[in-house]
Amino acid sequence: MSESAFIRSIDCNFPYGRPVQWRRVVARACSLSANSAFMVIHELCRPPRGAKPSEECARKILGHLLKRFKHPLLHSLQPVIESHIQGKHLPVAKAAHLMRQVARYPGQYNALSICYFSCNDKLGLLEPIYDRIVSDWASA
């Protein structure tokens, strides 16, 4: 399975309440790519309406993933992941700072999205930052 096929398969369709299935999804993500593993985290941070896992469930899945997935961004993204799981927003400036850190790792679109959606950016200040990062990755 390709990275893009994997991401499409779990987008708004993560098996939160089925431990055997989510363990398989985590294993597959970790074997495919960092972006795939960040997609699992993205699904924990931004579950679809009506499928929101409990904080306990999200932490269990995240803990399982973190035992198998190592990436330099994980330490930096820990506060944003935690805020998502707790249902809190970051300040826009903090989200922008984190997005710029993610920018150093081309192709980590899901990590970038975790940061982009971490705050209530009513003024749209993050959009040009997001667009610039994606453009830079595409031209590299």
Side-chain angles (χ1 to χ4, degrees):
M1 176 181 282
S2 70
E3 176 185 287
S4 60
F6 170 80
I7 289 170
R8 281 191 310 273
S9 76
I10 69 166
D11 188 21
C12 295
N13 194 33
F14 192 86
Y16 304 101
R18 299 187 310 272
V20 171
Q21 286 87 357
W22 62 248
R23 282 183 175 89
R24 286 184 188 142
V25 167
V26 166
R28 174 62 60 98
C30 293
S31 72
L32 283 172
S33 66
N35 193 44
S36 296
F38 280 119
M39 180 61 184
V40 170
I41 297 171
H42 185 270
E43 285 296 305
L44 296 174
C45 291
R46 300 192 66 241
R49 287 190 177 111
K52 184 166 174 51
S54 68
E55 193 172 316
E56 179 184 347
C57 176
R59 288 184 191 288
K60 185 179 240 182
I61 297 167
L62 180 62
H64 184 76
L65 174 79
L66 294 178
K67 289 177 187 171
R68 288 149 186 79
F69 175 58
K70 305 297 178 211
H71 193 278
L73 278 172
L74 285 172
H75 179 72
S76 299
L77 296 185
Q78 202 62 34
V80 70
I81 295 166
E82 185 63 29
S83 70
H84 273 295
I85 289 174
Q86 292 177 356
K88 298 178 181 176
H89 293 285
L90 291 180
V92 172
K94 178 70 173 175
H97 172 74
L98 290 169
M99 289 172 69
R100 288 184 186 100
Q101 288 185 337
V102 173
R104 294 182 287 178
Y105 298 90
Q108 299 311 312
Y109 296 97
N110 289 304
L112 185 63
S113 290
I114 290 166
C115 300
Y116 180 76
F117 290 110
S118 67
C119 62
N120 190 359
D121 182 18
K122 293 178 183 176
L123 300 176
L125 300 174
L126 296 181
E127 190 167 347
I129 297 169
Y130 181 92
D131 291 344
R132 177 66 183 180
I133 293 169
V134 170
S135 175
D136 288 349
W137 287 348
S139 65

